[in-house]
Amino acid sequence: MIVVTYIYFFICLLIMLFTVGYIMYQYYRKQTDKKRIATFKSIIDKQLKSIHQDRPLAENHRKYLLDKLKHLNYLIAYHDALLSYQNHEDIKDYKGAIEPVIKQLVSYYAKRDDMEKAYISHFIATHAAGVWQDDVVYRKLFHYLTEPNVYLRENVLKAFYQQNNPEWIVKAYETLSSQHIDHHQKLIQDGLMRYPYDKRSLIEQLYLKRGCFSEPILLGIIGFITYETSDYQQLFYDWVKEDKLPLEVELKLYRYFKKYPTEQVKPHLLAMLSSQQDEKRTVVADVLAEYCCDDVIKALKIAVADSNWFVRRNASRSLLKTDVKIDDLMDILTGPDRYARAMLRYYLETEGG
Amino acid sequence: MNLIVQQFMNGIALFFIGYMILYTTYLFLSVLFGAIRLYDKDRMMRLNNELKHDYYLPVSVIMPAYNEEVTIVDSVKSLLNLDYKLFEIIIVDDGSSDETTDELLRAFRFHQTDRPIQTKIPTKAIDVVYEAKINGIKIMFIRKENGGKGDALNVGINASRYPYFVTLDADSLLQKNALEKIIQPVLADERVIAVGGMIRIAQCVKMTDGQVLDYHMPWQPIIGMQVVEYDRSFLASRILLDQFSGNLIISGAFGLFKKSVVLSAGGYQINTIGEDMELVMRLHTFMLNNNRPYKVKYQPEAICWSQAPGSVQDIMRQRRRWYLGLFQSLTAYPEMLTRFLKKPVGFISYIYYWVFELLAPFIEVFGIVTIALASVFGLLNVPYMIELFFIYTGFGVILSLTAFFQRVFTQGLKLHVLDIIKAFIMVVFENAIYRYILSFVRVTAFIGYRKKGKRWGSIKRVKQKNV
C-alpha cells in the first residue's frame, strides 16, 4: 500500500514540477513571441518597401520564411506580424509573392498532429482571401476534412471559404455528407457568410447539389440563402412542395418565406396551418404575419384558439401585425376561449395592434 | 480470543489497503488526466483550435433567487456585460421574505405584464411577471409562491424562449466569455445535452464588467481551504470523469442544458435537496433507458465566480445539504448499477460516488474506531500508521498544489509569491484537518434529515468587490 502511494506521490510531484515549469515557460514564451514578431515585422517592412518600388520579393526571404515557418512558434509569430499589416497598401502583393512558401508549408504540416494542421488551416483562412488561390493548397487541406477533430474540420472549411472556387466548398460538403460527418448547421451558415467573392454563384452551385448534402449542411445553406437573397422564392416554393422533405428543412424553408413573402406560397402556408404536426403549424402561424389579407386573418383567428400553446402565441403576434380590424380582435377578446383571450391581450399590451 | 481479534484486524487491514489503493489510484488518474487535458487545452487556445464565432446559439439564463437582496442586483448587472450577442435573463424570486424584489425593481426599469407562460412543467403559482429590456437584452423577473429551488428553476424553464438554458445562482458572477465558452461543446457535438462550467470562489477576486482585475488567495482559512478544494475538484476529478461523459454533477451555480431533453425528462425535482445532481442523474438514466446517444460535458474554461460560505456554521450547513443531496440522488437511481453497469458512467462514476463520496465518511470513522480497537489489543503498528498518515497527507498536498498551479497557467493569472505561500498553508491544513472535519459533518448529516425537506440552502452573503 505504502509503496503504491509513494509511487503515485513521486509521479504527482513530477506533474507538479512540470506544471510549475510550464508556467515559467509561458512567461518565457511571451517574451520570445514578442521578439519574434518584432523580427518578422522588420523583415516584412523591408520587403514591402521593395515591393512598393516595384522590385520583386527577395528569393532569400522566401527561403528564410520556409525555413522558419516550419517551426510552429515562428508560424504563430509570423501570423501575428502579418495581422498588423492588414491595411497596408502593398500587403496583398507581398502575400501573393509568398504563395509558393505556403504551398510547401501545407505539405510540410500534413505530417504534423491535428492541432498543428488546424493551425495552418487557420493561418490560411485568415490570410488567403484574394491572394492564395492555388489548388495545391486546397487539395492538401481537403485531406484533413475527414479527420474526426471538429476544430480541424472547422478551420479547413474556413480556409475553403477564402478561396474563390465554389466547387471546393461544394466538394467539401459532399464529402462530409457522404461520410456521415456532422458539422453544426450554425457553423456552416456562419462560415458561408464569410465567403468574400461572388455569393450568388456559390449559392447556385450549392443549390444545384442540394440532393447530395446531409441535413445539418442543408439547414446551414438555407439559412445562408435566407440571409443573402430573395431570388429563391420560386425554387424554394418548388422545393417545399416536394414529398418526404425532412421536417427541419421544411420549417427552414417556411422561414425563408417570412423574410421574402410571395403570394404564390400563401395557399400552401394556409394549408399547413391545419397540419397535424405542431411544429409546422407553429412556424407557419409565425410566417403568416407577413401575408396580410382577409383569408390569412380568418385563418389566424382560428389558430389563436389552437390546442398548441406555441401556435396560439405565434398566431396572436402575427394577427396583430396584419391589418386586422378591431371587430376581429373583439371577436377573440370577448370570445369563449380564455387562453386565446389572455394571449392576445398580452401581445396587444406589449406589441400593440 | 486474541487470534480471532488478530484475524479480524487482518481482514480490516486488507479492506483498508484495497480501499486506499483504489482511492489514491483515482486521485492519481484525476491529476494525470487533468494535467494532460489542461495542457492540451492551453495548446488548443494558442493554436486557435476553437469554435470562435461572432454569434452563437441563443440561450436563456435562469437565475433562481431566495433572499438574495445583497447580491442579486450586482449579479444581474454583471450579466448585462457579457460577451454574448443573443440571450435573455429570467430571474425567478421564489417568494423571498427579504428585499430581493424591491432591490430589483429599484435597480431596473421593469414593467408589470400579463405574459402568458406555458406550464410545461407544473409549478407553484406565479404571483407577478415583470419585463424589461436593457442593452438590448430581455429580462424577465417572475415572483412566485415559495416552492424551493427546483420549482423556481422549473418556472424559469417554462418561461424561457430559447432551446438551451443556463442555470446561475443569484450570488454568482460570470466571467465575460463564460456563456461563449459553455455553449461551444454544443456546437462541436450536437449530442451534448448538458455542460458544466467551472465554479470558483468569488471572495478572492475583484471584477469589473465581467473581467478579472485582481486575484489573491485569501487569508481567511475557511475561504482559502475551499479555494484549494474547488481547484482539486474542478481541475482534476471532473476532467477525469469528463473523458467518458461520466460527470454526475453539474453545479447548479453554473450549467447549461438542452431544454427539450430536460422537459422530456420531467424538469427539476422539487422534493429533493440536491436538485442539480438529481437532474444530471436523471438525464443520464433517461437517455440510457431510451437508447439515445448523448454527452454530458465539462468545460473548465467557462468560469463562474460564486460566493463560498465564510463561517464554520455556514459551511457545515452547506456540506450537510450537499451530502444529503448526494444520498438522495444516488439512492434514487439504482438502475445505474443494475442496468447500466457496463457503461462507464455506471461502473466508474456511480460506484465512485457511492464508495468514495457517500460511504467515505463512514469508512473513515470506521477506520478511526479500528485504530482505537487495535491500540487496545496492542495490535497497532504506530510507526507504520504515522508513516501512512504523512505519506497520504503529503500525497493530498501535492495533488492540491498541482491543481493550484494548473489553474494559474490555464487561466493566465499573475502568480504572486505570497499567494503560493498562502496556497501551501491552506493546502496543508485542508488535507490534514479540514477534510476530517467535513467527514464528521457528513456522518452527522442525517441527524434531523426528515425535518429539512425542500428548503433553500442559506449562507450569509457579502457584497461583491468592484463589480
Side-chain angles (χ1 to χ4, degrees):
Chain A
M1 161 68 207
I2 281 204
V3 176
V4 174
T5 313
Y6 269 117
I7 293 169
Y8 288 164
F9 179 92
F10 284 110
I11 298 175
C12 286
L13 190 65
L14 290 177
I15 296 174
M16 191 187 84
L17 293 175
F18 168 80
T19 309
V20 173
Y22 192 72
I23 292 170
M24 290 197 266
Y25 169 69
Q26 275 186 325
Y27 283 123
Y28 161 79
R29 197 173 62 190
K30 268 185 199 162
Q31 300 309 315
T32 48
D33 278 354
K34 276 183 196 163
K35 280 182 198 161
R36 282 179 191 141
I37 292 170
T39 309
F40 274 125
K41 275 185 177 175
S42 75
I43 296 169
I44 295 170
D45 274 338
K46 271 184 205 162
Q47 297 305 319
L48 285 173
K49 269 183 201 158
S50 166
I51 287 171
H52 195 69
Q53 290 158 3
D54 288 333
R55 287 204 300 259
L57 193 83
E59 191 53 40
N60 62 354
H61 179 65
R62 285 198 195 95
K63 276 185 194 155
Y64 174 81
L65 285 183
L66 189 59
D67 179 44
K68 289 288 178 194
L69 300 186
K70 284 178 181 171
H71 304 281
L72 190 69
N73 287 333
Y74 281 92
L75 184 63
I76 293 169
Y78 184 64
H79 169 75
D80 289 343
L82 270 186
L83 283 179
S84 60
Y85 290 97
Q86 264 175 333
N87 299 321
H88 194 287
E89 55 177 326
D90 296 316
I91 195 66
K92 234 178 162 180
D93 293 336
Y94 170 79
K95 281 184 184 175
I98 62 161
E99 193 177 20
V101 178
I102 304 305
K103 276 154 62 177
Q104 292 190 46
L105 275 182
V106 177
S107 300
Y108 182 80
Y109 275 88
K111 295 167 212 146
R112 310 294 274 270
D113 69 17
D114 279 2
M115 275 196 224
E116 295 191 27
K117 284 182 199 163
Y119 188 74
I120 186 83
S121 307
H122 165 76
F123 174 78
I124 292 168
T126 313
H127 302 290
V131 282
W132 301 336
Q133 302 296 326
D134 197 307
D135 275 1
V136 174
V137 175
Y138 301 97
R139 208 173 300 136
K140 208 78 203 172
L141 289 184
F142 199 86
H143 294 297
Y144 307 165
L145 258 187
T146 49
E147 301 282 349
N149 186 320
V150 64
Y151 308 103
L152 172 57
R153 198 159 61 236
E154 171 69 358
N155 285 0
V156 170
L157 285 172
K158 279 182 181 169
F160 283 156
Y161 301 134
Q162 298 308 314
Q163 53 75 51
N164 62 9
N165 183 359
E167 278 178 25
W168 278 114
I169 299 172
V170 173
K171 212 170 146 194
Y173 288 170
E174 277 183 307
T175 305
L176 292 180
S177 304
S178 65
Q179 304 218 8
H180 305 288
I181 298 169
D182 283 336
H183 205 66
H184 201 286
Q185 55 163 305
K186 175 90 181 111
L187 299 178
I188 298 284
Q189 182 180 324
D190 288 358
L192 286 168
M193 279 159 61
R194 290 179 187 184
Y195 187 70
Y197 312 102
D198 179 8
K199 287 195 171 107
R200 299 214 166 195
S201 100
L202 171 66
I203 289 172
E204 270 169 34
Q205 300 225 24
L206 290 169
Y207 187 76
L208 279 176
K209 288 278 187 177
R210 69 186 193 278
C212 310
F213 301 144
S214 62
E215 195 176 314
I217 292 177
L218 270 183
L219 293 171
I221 292 171
I222 299 170
F224 167 58
I225 296 175
T226 306
Y227 191 81
E228 285 298 327
T229 177
S230 62
D231 293 351
Y232 278 68
Q233 286 167 324
Q234 180 62 47
L235 291 171
F236 278 7
Y237 174 60
D238 295 338
W239 193 4
V240 85
K241 286 194 304 181
E242 279 177 19
D243 288 337
K244 292 179 183 166
L245 207 57
L247 179 65
E248 288 299 324
V249 172
E250 195 175 339
L251 299 179
K252 196 101 180 173
L253 289 172
Y254 289 143
R255 290 193 182 104
Y256 178 86
F257 292 115
K258 184 178 183 187
K259 188 165 183 193
Y260 306 110
T262 166
E263 278 299 304
Q264 188 182 21
V265 79
K266 196 169 71 183
H268 183 77
L269 293 175
L270 284 170
M272 284 304 114
L273 203 53
S274 316
S275 164
Q276 296 293 311
Q277 287 172 281
D278 289 350
E279 296 89 344
K280 281 190 192 175
R281 294 203 312 280
T282 304
V283 172
V284 166
D286 177 52
V287 172
L288 281 170
E290 302 302 321
Y291 294 78
C292 176
C293 67
D294 287 346
D295 46 352
V296 167
I297 292 171
K298 201 171 147 192
L300 287 174
K301 273 177 72 180
I302 297 167
V304 165
D306 194 279
S307 59
N308 183 288
W309 190 92
F310 294 100
V311 179
R312 286 204 302 274
R313 182 193 66 185
N314 288 355
S316 299
R317 296 175 73 173
S318 293
L319 197 60
L320 294 174
K321 285 177 188 161
T322 63
D323 293 334
V324 63
K325 292 189 185 78
I326 191 77
D327 290 348
D328 288 319
L329 294 180
M330 288 309 289
D331 286 347
I332 300 166
L333 291 171
T334 57
D337 190 326
R338 71 186 172 96
Y339 295 109
R341 284 198 312 260
M343 191 73 83
L344 190 63
R345 197 176 298 128
Y346 170 72
Y347 285 109
L348 260 173
E349 279 170 16
T350 55
E351 294 176 18
Chain B
M1 177 64 185
N2 265 356
L3 192 67
I4 295 169
V5 172
Q6 198 163 358
Q7 290 287 335
F8 175 70
M9 286 298 173
N10 284 344
I12 288 175
L14 275 176
F15 166 77
F16 272 102
I17 286 169
Y19 181 82
M20 297 285 274
I21 286 178
L22 278 176
Y23 189 50
T24 48
T25 303
Y26 176 83
L27 293 176
F28 168 68
L29 289 176
S30 297
V31 166
L32 188 64
F33 274 89
I36 294 168
R37 160 88 199 269
L38 292 171
Y39 169 73
D40 259 3
K41 207 71 189 170
D42 185 61
R43 197 163 166 250
M44 281 170 75
M45 293 299 115
R46 181 166 157 79
L47 300 183
N48 282 81
N49 279 229
E50 66 171 333
L51 302 173
K52 196 143 179 69
H53 277 241
D54 293 337
Y55 289 88
Y56 293 90
L57 302 170
V59 294
S60 305
V61 177
I62 303 173
M63 185 185 275
Y66 180 73
N67 289 349
E68 297 285 0
E69 61 182 10
V70 180
T71 58
I72 188 90
V73 172
D74 284 343
S75 298
V76 177
K77 279 182 181 168
S78 82
L79 287 175
L80 298 172
N81 291 309
L82 292 177
D83 261 351
Y84 203 81
K85 299 253 169 41
L86 192 54
F87 70 104
E88 63 172 353
I89 303 168
I90 300 165
I91 310 153
V92 186
D93 180 359
D94 192 41
S96 296
S97 54
D98 69 353
E99 297 276 298
T100 302
T101 296
D102 297 331
E103 286 290 335
L104 280 168
L105 294 180
R106 266 195 294 271
F108 305 103
R109 280 191 181 176
F110 280 111
H111 61 274
Q112 194 176 331
T113 70
D114 293 323
R115 186 188 176 84
I117 293 172
Q118 190 195 16
T119 314
K120 287 166 258 182
I121 311 164
T123 62
K124 292 270 186 185
I126 291 173
D127 296 334
V128 59
V129 180
Y130 298 94
E131 288 180 312
K133 198 168 185 180
I134 302 167
N135 301 347
I137 300 161
K138 283 189 177 177
I139 310 180
M140 196 191 304
F141 169 39
I142 302 169
R143 189 176 160 88
K144 64 179 277 287
E145 197 182 307
N146 182 265
K149 191 174 175 182
D151 196 60
L153 284 162
N154 284 338
V155 166
I157 295 171
N158 285 341
S160 65
R161 294 188 302 159
Y162 296 132
Y164 290 89
F165 70 86
V166 162
T167 60
L168 187 69
D169 278 353
D171 62 328
S172 300
L173 303 173
L174 287 185
Q175 215 156 286
K176 210 171 176 63
N177 62 356
L179 282 186
E180 180 188 331
K181 292 289 178 191
I182 207 164
I183 197 80
Q184 283 177 349
V186 176
L187 284 178
D189 190 339
E190 285 199 80
R191 289 170 298 177
V192 172
I193 57 164
V195 186
M198 181 176 179
I199 312 298
R200 305 212 33 218
I201 307 278
Q203 281 99 323
C204 37
V205 71
K206 278 186 186 169
M207 286 178 85
T208 297
D209 297 340
Q211 276 173 327
V212 175
L213 291 181
D214 197 13
Y215 176 87
H216 284 293
M217 277 293 286
W219 273 120
Q220 237 185 313
I222 290 287
I223 307 279
M225 284 188 281
Q226 287 178 88
V227 170
V228 292
E229 186 194 15
Y230 273 48
D231 281 349
R232 203 180 47 232
S233 168
F234 281 94
L235 289 170
S237 177
R238 292 197 190 203
I239 291 178
L240 175 65
L241 298 177
D242 189 48
Q243 305 304 310
F244 50 88
S245 268
N247 270 307
L248 298 185
I249 301 177
I250 287 180
S251 169
F254 185 37
L256 175 130
F257 298 88
K258 188 171 186 173
K259 190 165 78 178
S260 57
V261 177
V262 173
L263 285 174
S264 304
Y268 281 91
Q269 276 244 338
I270 53 167
N271 293 316
T272 184
I273 295 171
E275 69 293 320
D276 46 2
M277 181 177 186
E278 197 283 333
L279 177 70
V280 181
M281 292 283 297
R282 192 143 38 87
L283 291 179
H284 276 295
T285 48
F286 175 79
M287 298 305 273
L288 290 169
N289 273 321
N290 290 288
N291 275 326
R292 284 166 63 177
Y294 76 101
K295 281 184 179 174
V296 171
K297 298 299 292 175
Y298 168 57
Q299 181 78 330
E301 296 79 31
I303 299 169
C304 168
W305 299 85
S306 192
Q307 290 208 3
S311 69
V312 176
Q313 216 176 12
D314 275 351
I315 199 167
M316 285 173 77
R317 199 179 302 145
Q318 183 200 52
R319 297 310 163 98
R320 205 166 272 149
R321 281 179 62 81
W322 286 6
Y323 190 69
L324 291 173
L326 178 76
F327 170 75
Q328 286 181 334
S329 302
L330 289 178
T331 49
Y333 297 95
E335 64 259 49
M336 278 291 215
L337 212 56
T338 53
R339 290 195 59 198
F340 309 122
L341 193 58
K342 284 181 186 163
K343 306 274 180 191
V345 68
F347 77 82
I348 301 178
S349 307
Y350 191 69
I351 290 180
Y352 164 77
Y353 277 100
W354 258 106
V355 178
F356 298 117
E357 294 286 343
L358 191 68
L359 296 178
F362 292 95
I363 292 172
E364 283 173 17
V365 169
F366 179 58
I368 292 166
V369 172
T370 312
I371 289 170
L373 264 179
S375 173
V376 169
F377 286 98
L379 296 171
L380 190 64
N381 183 343
V382 178
Y384 181 80
M385 191 190 78
I386 292 172
E387 187 184 0
L388 195 65
F389 174 79
F390 276 109
I391 182 67
Y392 189 65
T393 306
F395 181 56
V397 168
I398 294 288
L399 293 182
S400 304
L401 278 178
T402 307
F404 170 80
F405 286 120
Q406 280 169 342
R407 177 164 56 79
V408 171
F409 92 73
T410 51
Q411 291 165 15
L413 299 174
K414 204 171 175 192
L415 195 59
H416 303 273
V417 178
L418 191 61
D419 283 337
I420 300 175
I421 296 167
K422 280 194 251 182
F424 184 76
I425 296 168
M426 296 302 171
V427 158
V428 171
F429 275 100
E430 198 256 336
N431 279 281
I433 299 167
Y434 175 77
R435 53 172 295 141
Y436 296 104
I437 296 172
L438 288 189
S439 287
F440 172 76
V441 171
R442 287 159 159 193
V443 168
T444 57
F446 288 96
I447 300 168
Y449 165 50
R450 291 225 166 265
K451 289 179 207 159
K452 295 191 187 299
K454 56 188 178 191
R455 285 201 328 234
W456 283 73
S458 60
I459 60 170
K460 192 172 179 292
R461 305 290 191 214
V462 289
K463 205 95 176 131
Q464 190 57 39
K465 293 174 219 167
N466 292 13
V467 177

